[in-house]
Amino acid sequence: MTPYRPRIGLALGSGVARGWAHIGVLHALARAGIRPDIVVGTSIGALVGGVYLANKLDVLEDWARSLNKRSLWRYLDVRLSGGGLIGGSRLNAILDANLGGIMVESLDRRFAAVATDLGSGHEVWLREGPLALALRASYALPGVFSPLQHDGGWLVDGALVNPVPVSVCRALGARLVIAVNLNADVFGRSRAQNPARVAEAELLDGPAGGGFMGALNPQRLLARKLFGRDDGAPSLFTVMVDSLSIIQDRVTRSRLAGDPPDVTIAPRLGDVGLLDFDRAAEMIEEGEAAVERALPFLREAMSVLGMRFAQESAPPDARRVANWETATD
């Protein structure tokens, strides 16, 4: 009997800056000849997955590799209004320039971005409408980026409810689900730098210029209030990011225990801070390495699930022949 290829779903998890590893994962899967039929992402996973299906992954990769600690300032418009510390208008402009006019339903494969309804706490699957808006809603970290208005409510980061969206892949018809968990490296966390290292070190020296006038720049003063430390205590921004990281980790464990994927790809990123966007090159490389480690398990799962699907889909007589051949091997 000719084996069938199972319908593959790829669940790209949240993880803020660690999401650059998803780029390496997608490259390595393509080299192995594995093309997902369904892509679902949460937060940074939605961003990378949506850009991938829009055939703009190379553009995103070039931009990610170009980032350094100081250039991040160009994309962070700090403010205290609109429900978030960062307005996001500069990041939005980049998304609109590259994804403007692309609708989720027009993509050549099924895609969903996971967000959270701020009023009800419900999980929201964004499967239609402007792609750029769906991505913004999915990565809208509470308190950091402003929530996005949708159907009379407000949406924030999907990591609050479903950090690695395996369940969504299955609901959309995937028979084999590959999960990419960016927060699985427990042992590396003891080596991790403070997740807000970039904000507290480099961002405080922002682009306002030196001297007395630079020190009095309103944006610089606001940044010091948000990112500065007082008597060694963690900054406001550090408390927010670390708290979200804890929530994300606990929810991930619970969701994956209840609905485990068929194969997990787990990049070793424990020493990468959640705001280390300037380390794209090494994260992309680790994403590729993680796929290589998981490839034997992935191929075995494809073989087993593909043959099982072939037997279930075959006519009754063919099923008996297949079962007899298996029993006599």
Side-chain angles (χ1 to χ4, degrees):
M1 177 177 293
T2 302
Y4 284 73
R5 174 190 173 281
R7 182 179 296 169
I8 298 173
L10 181 63
L12 300 176
S14 58
V16 197
R18 294 172 184 166
W20 296 148
H22 287 317
I23 298 174
V25 167
L26 289 166
H27 285 327
L29 289 176
R31 285 198 302 270
I34 299 171
R35 182 180 185 271
D37 304 287
I38 298 163
V39 178
V40 181
T42 297
S43 195
I44 187 74
L47 174 66
V48 176
V51 170
Y52 161 69
L53 292 184
N55 297 315
K56 299 281 188 176
L57 190 62
D58 290 343
V59 176
L60 179 63
E61 181 175 355
D62 290 343
W63 180 74
R65 289 180 180 273
S66 73
L67 292 175
N68 56 55
K69 298 181 188 68
R70 290 192 177 277
S71 68
L72 286 172
W73 257 113
R74 295 200 301 267
Y75 307 105
L76 302 180
D77 42 339
V78 180
R79 64 178 188 177
L80 278 180
S81 62
L85 300 178
I86 298 172
S89 60
R90 298 165 192 171
L91 294 173
N92 295 344
I94 295 175
L95 277 180
D96 291 337
N98 288 279
L99 304 179
I102 299 178
M103 306 296 283
V104 173
E105 58 267 32
S106 70
L107 299 173
D108 65 350
R109 282 169 275 175
R110 291 186 180 182
F111 173 73
V114 178
T116 304
D117 184 275
L118 189 59
S120 66
H122 291 167
E123 184 175 330
V124 178
W125 303 350
L126 299 169
R127 299 179 52 197
E128 58 184 21
L131 177 60
L133 290 180
L135 304 187
R136 288 178 202 166
S138 188
Y139 70 64
L141 278 168
V144 179
F145 290 108
S146 299
L148 192 82
Q149 193 166 22
H150 176 76
D151 284 346
W154 295 93
L155 300 181
V156 294
D157 200 313
L160 296 176
V161 290
N162 199 350
V164 186
V166 171
S167 58
V168 188
C169 285
R170 295 203 191 282
L172 295 184
R175 186 166 184 84
L176 186 155
V177 178
I178 304 167
V180 185
N181 184 0
L182 302 177
N183 302 288
D185 185 9
V186 176
F187 296 105
R189 292 177 191 167
S190 61
R191 304 188 305 273
Q193 302 181 39
N194 189 304
R197 172 184 60 85
V198 176
E200 294 181 349
E202 297 295 335
L203 299 189
L204 289 177
D205 295 327
F212 179 73
M213 294 306 295
L216 294 180
N217 179 277
Q219 188 176 21
R220 176 78 67 81
L221 292 173
L222 179 58
R224 289 192 179 279
K225 183 66 175 176
L226 298 175
F227 303 134
R229 292 169 174 265
D230 184 15
D231 296 329
S235 70
L236 170 62
F237 197 76
T238 298
V239 171
M240 290 173 55
V241 172
D242 283 355
S243 298
L244 288 169
S245 179
I246 292 170
I247 293 171
Q248 179 178 261
D249 178 65
R250 293 299 185 261
V251 175
T252 297
R253 295 187 191 199
S254 176
R255 294 296 300 255
L256 294 185
D259 191 1
D262 299 294
V263 178
T264 298
I265 296 173
R268 295 168 182 166
L269 302 170
D271 63 337
V272 177
L274 295 180
L275 299 178
D276 286 347
F277 287 98
D278 56 303
R279 299 172 64 182
E282 60 186 282
M283 285 187 273
I284 292 170
E285 182 179 352
E286 174 53 29
E288 295 178 345
V291 172
E292 294 300 322
R293 292 192 295 269
L295 207 51
F297 306 101
L298 183 52
R299 295 201 183 281
E300 181 180 5
M302 291 178 66
S303 176
V304 171
L305 291 176
M307 182 59 70
R308 185 178 301 166
F309 178 75
Q311 292 182 9
E312 292 173 356
S313 303
D317 290 342
R319 291 186 200 175
R320 284 197 291 271
V321 171
N323 291 334
W324 182 83
E325 289 174 347
T326 301
T328 55
D329 283 344

